[in-house]
């Protein structure tokens, strides 16, 4: 039930936390955030605590005076969250799910055990182990823990690539011959009500392995759209998650939808919903974790999203080149994360682009990429 | 030009300031706010200074380290703003315009001098003076300075009402036989570029004299729409204002559009733009005062806005009755201002309602009024 006196703690004060804070303003939510002192949320959060998300004591202390806890990043101290949960705090997503999802190995095993379609894989213990599976190539070797933003994944096409495999527990995933990468964000509240955002299509930067463009809605058949939504809901239900679940999927060349990986929180693939949909993914996250009715996910307009990455060759105080030009263009909405220092490929912001056709979106998104650059002076 | 290092100061930390802060998050604007310690903006503003907006020293000191100054309420110390302007600070809206608009007498004279159609009026010095104008009735007596939210206006229908007139400088305005009250928000930047939001229709609460409902777009002919937009632009241009100008107008029964009064800032008649339009009035205000290109004002959907006023008979800590029900209804978006104490008719929030026809909007707005109440427990 809605209660203005409820206090909500968020582990993580990066850009996702910032967009959560922005959405929280509508309902005057009492939000407290923990992260490093220079986090984007620090100047905006109603209450900000400096501390490490991975430190048991810091997280445990942080949770003492809140009613509900949530995360904007998975790399947090789950032991502390479990202790807080045992003491009666609401922690959403639930700590055991964060633990499960933190490790790509247990994540993939979960899909297999629950009959959720996913690419075939073999668990591996170390680099030497990976070399046993020549017959499984081409494949991707994925680090079990601590991979993020494209780090922790290596393509192993031939035995010559085995040296690139991680020398740590991981999994070898059969390369999927896919046509598109899709994503569906599903929200689920404590009552078990679910709502999905329309399926989006992601195009990755070949080098940085980050989402470079995103189009919403995805250019797919109604049948594939239904498959994707249904798979996202099945996954959320199998996990029993409370909160948002971003489900990344492959659409194979023979029309199958396979789950790739999930994130139990707001996600890069839903940033356009701030500008293009009736309810944003951030408002939806609050609705889900506060056990409120879920919002209408309908899109007002087709949209694209371009990540604004730090320009190559520039490290230092960020300067945004081309903002005036971009702001002069209808249907182009930059969102800057307020990170003081830019580095090559660092996520410094995103730009939502709206237009009435996918063709126009693609042209505009391509233009925006060249028009707005994060550099040092 | 867009510059992330620019610091913007806002005089006033009420709900308008709060919505300005929310919009400022997209571009990581460096915003500093001054107001009383319990102002809604205090927990959210990147920098908050406790002080009185009407105190010369407080405002002057506040403005020392900012590059641009703006307001979210007209009742501020204009002398301090003028001193800051003389020292080279950008102050938008310009102090001389705030001064002009602060006093309804100079405001009305401005319309008359510039040929901007407005209801006929007579300046009055005191209560006794008002009684000289029996032939001018029915009329409204308006206090020159310090009227707000419906306070400072008295209907003088017959000589028996003269005792209700204000015993202070004011103006007697001939009662207009109007069909509707309209409002247009126009933005103007330093380059002189202008953009208007679609005309809205306001319905006032008969007792509190506050906007009770608002419908966008107004149910008017294209011709009247053009008259209203053109009058708003002419007024902004005659003033030479930089920033937002909310222009309230009467549509008379014989089809004339008359200017009623203006506010040089974001306005209650534009709150629905947060949810219903491509660019909100708050983002538009930043664009205008930072000399950025103005945003697209197109509406995605028809909308209504209902002010959420403190329930009669309730004074004390605010409790929001019916939030869950309201949040369960698609196209209903409550915005709470975070004021701790509710009082009868105090503006505690607003609710934007969206639907695809004016008929449905009216039904939904009527329902919302009953469904969500601000009470004490």
């Amino acid at each position: 039930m809605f209660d203005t006196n409820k206090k909500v703690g968020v582990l993580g004060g990066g850009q996702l936390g910032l967009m959560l804070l922005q959405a929280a303003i509508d309902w005057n939510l009492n939000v407290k955030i923990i992260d490093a002192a220079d986090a984007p949320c620090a100047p905006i959060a109603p209450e900000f605590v400096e501390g490490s998300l991975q430190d048991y004591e810091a997280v445990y202390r942080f949770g003492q005076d809140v009613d509900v806890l949530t995360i904007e990043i998975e790399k947090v101290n789950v032991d502390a969250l479990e202790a807080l949960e045992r003491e009666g705090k609401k922690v959403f997503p639930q700590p055991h799910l964060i633990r499960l999802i933190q490790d790509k190995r247990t994540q993939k095993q979960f899909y297999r055990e629950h009959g959720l379609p996913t690419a075939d894989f073999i668990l591996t213990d170390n680099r030497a182990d990976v070399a046993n599976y020549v017959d499984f190539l081409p494949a991707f070797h994925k680090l079990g823990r601590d991979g993020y933003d494209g780090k922790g994944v290596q393509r192993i096409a031939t035995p010559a690539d085995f040296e690139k495999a991680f020398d740590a527990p991981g999994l070898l995933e059969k390369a999927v011959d896919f046509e598109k990468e899709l994503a569906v964000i599903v929200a689920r509240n404590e009552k078990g009500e679910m709502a999905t955002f329309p399926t989006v299509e992601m195009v990755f930067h070949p080098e940085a392995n980050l989402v470079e463009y995103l189009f919403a809605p995805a250019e797919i058949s109604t049948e594939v759209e239904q498959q994707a939504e249904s798979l996202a809901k099945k996954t959320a239900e199998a996990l029993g998650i409370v909160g948002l679940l971003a489900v990344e999927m492959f659409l194979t060349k023979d029309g199958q939808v396979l789950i790739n990986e999930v994130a139990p929180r707001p996600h890069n693939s839903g940033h356009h919903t701030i500008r293009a949909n009736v309810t944003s993914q951030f408002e939806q996250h609050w609705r889900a974790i506060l056990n409120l009715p879920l919002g209408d996910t309908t899109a007002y307009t087709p949209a694209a999203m371009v990540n604004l990455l730090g320009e190559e060759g520039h490290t230092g105080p960020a300067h945004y080149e081309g903002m005036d030009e971009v702001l002069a263009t209808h249907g182009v909405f930059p969102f800057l994360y307020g990170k003081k220092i830019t580095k090559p490929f660092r996520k410094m912001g995103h730009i939502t682009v709206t237009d009435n056709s996918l063709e126009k979106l693609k042209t505009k998104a391509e233009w925006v990429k060249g028009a707005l650059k994060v550099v040092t002076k």
Side-chain angles (χ1 to χ4, degrees), chain A:
Chain A
M1 207 188 116
F2 187 86
D3 178 358
T4 37
N5 296 316
K6 224 177 241 175
K7 192 168 190 172
V8 195
V10 182
L11 303 188
Q15 62 261 26
L16 299 174
L18 190 64
M19 292 181 261
L20 280 170
L21 282 177
Q22 188 180 40
I25 290 175
D26 281 54
W27 303 339
N28 186 38
L29 298 179
N30 187 4
V31 183
K32 177 181 167 184
I33 291 192
I34 179 171
D35 208 334
D38 65 345
C41 284
I44 306 289
E47 194 178 337
F48 186 84
V49 175
E50 192 183 335
S52 163
L53 314 179
Q54 293 169 63
D55 181 70
Y56 182 94
E57 272 308 316
V59 172
Y60 180 74
R61 262 200 319 273
F62 174 77
Q64 287 305 305
D65 72 338
V66 305
D67 301 290
V68 182
L69 271 157
T70 190
I71 58 165
E72 57 108 59
I73 183 169
E74 295 92 296
K75 208 172 168 185
V76 297
N77 192 296
V78 179
D79 292 336
L81 289 178
E82 279 174 339
L84 290 161
E85 191 183 43
R86 276 193 304 272
E87 291 170 18
K89 304 286 182 194
K90 301 255 186 197
V91 186
F92 299 128
Q94 300 92 320
H96 72 278
L97 297 180
I98 302 174
R99 196 184 287 288
L100 179 99
I101 291 166
Q102 273 179 342
D103 191 329
K104 289 196 175 123
R105 294 158 55 99
T106 50
Q107 206 185 118
K108 285 285 280 190
Q109 282 176 296
F110 183 88
Y111 306 145
R112 185 176 272 168
E113 283 160 19
H114 290 78
L116 299 163
T118 191
D120 198 12
F121 68 97
I122 295 162
L123 298 184
T124 55
D125 294 330
N126 50 41
R127 186 176 294 145
D129 190 14
V130 178
N132 292 324
Y133 303 104
V134 177
D135 291 352
F136 207 67
L137 306 188
F140 287 89
H141 193 232
K142 297 184 172 180
L143 201 53
R145 300 179 63 90
D146 299 339
Y148 70 97
D149 270 4
K151 291 175 186 75
V153 178
Q154 286 291 355
R155 187 175 152 82
I156 314 286
T158 68
D161 295 324
F162 280 137
E163 60 176 17
K164 291 193 281 178
F166 300 100
D167 198 16
L171 64 97
L172 195 67
E173 187 178 83
K174 223 174 171 59
V176 171
D177 194 16
F178 65 84
E179 201 186 307
K180 287 170 191 285
E181 293 198 56
L182 306 175
V184 172
I185 294 177
V186 54
R188 188 173 175 278
N189 66 14
E190 275 187 272
K191 294 187 201 83
E193 293 164 349
M194 288 194 283
T196 53
F197 284 90
T199 306
V200 303
E201 187 171 336
M202 296 177 295
V203 180
F204 281 76
H205 187 286
E207 202 171 330
N209 198 24
L210 279 171
V211 174
E212 188 177 20
Y213 294 69
L214 171 150
F215 298 101
E219 257 185 313
I220 49 175
S221 67
T222 312
E223 202 197 329
V224 170
E225 165 84 29
Q226 281 165 354
Q227 260 191 78
E229 284 190 12
S230 149
L231 182 51
K233 282 185 175 175
K234 265 188 212 157
T235 308
E237 206 146 41
L239 291 164
I241 192 169
V242 172
L244 287 194
L245 187 74
V247 184
E248 298 187 50
M249 293 171 274
F250 297 118
L251 171 61
T252 65
K253 291 202 171 143
D254 56 355
Q256 271 192 293
V257 179
L258 303 179
I259 183 165
N260 175 18
E261 59 181 57
V262 302
R265 50 163 172 82
H267 190 253
N268 202 182
S269 64
H271 290 353
H272 63 289
T273 59
I274 299 178
R275 291 287 185 164
N277 293 61
V278 173
T279 305
S280 76
Q281 65 163 340
F282 300 98
E283 175 177 323
Q284 195 76 310
H285 186 71
W286 292 124
R287 287 176 177 261
I289 68 163
L290 298 172
N291 206 22
L292 296 170
L294 299 175
D296 179 0
T297 59
T298 309
Y300 280 127
T301 168
M305 193 277 304
V306 182
N307 276 321
L308 180 63
L309 307 179
E311 201 65 15
E312 283 186 87
H314 291 260
T315 299
H319 174 68
Y320 302 87
E321 218 172 74
M323 272 292 276
D324 287 59
E325 208 182 340
V326 157
L327 290 173
T329 310
H330 279 191
V332 176
F333 309 96
F335 197 117
L336 309 180
Y337 300 156
K339 299 176 183 173
K340 299 296 170 218
I341 301 297
T342 184
K343 289 186 252 190
F345 300 118
R346 187 174 194 197
K347 277 189 197 163
M348 300 299 289
H350 71 262
I351 304 128
T352 298
V353 172
T354 61
D355 216 321
N356 52 21
S357 79
L358 276 179
E359 271 324 295
K360 287 189 198 160
L361 282 178
K362 285 178 190 178
T363 309
K364 230 186 224 179
E366 195 57 59
W367 173 80
V368 162
K369 256 193 69 187
L372 184 58
K373 293 197 181 296
V374 192
V375 295
T376 50
K377 268 198 188 164

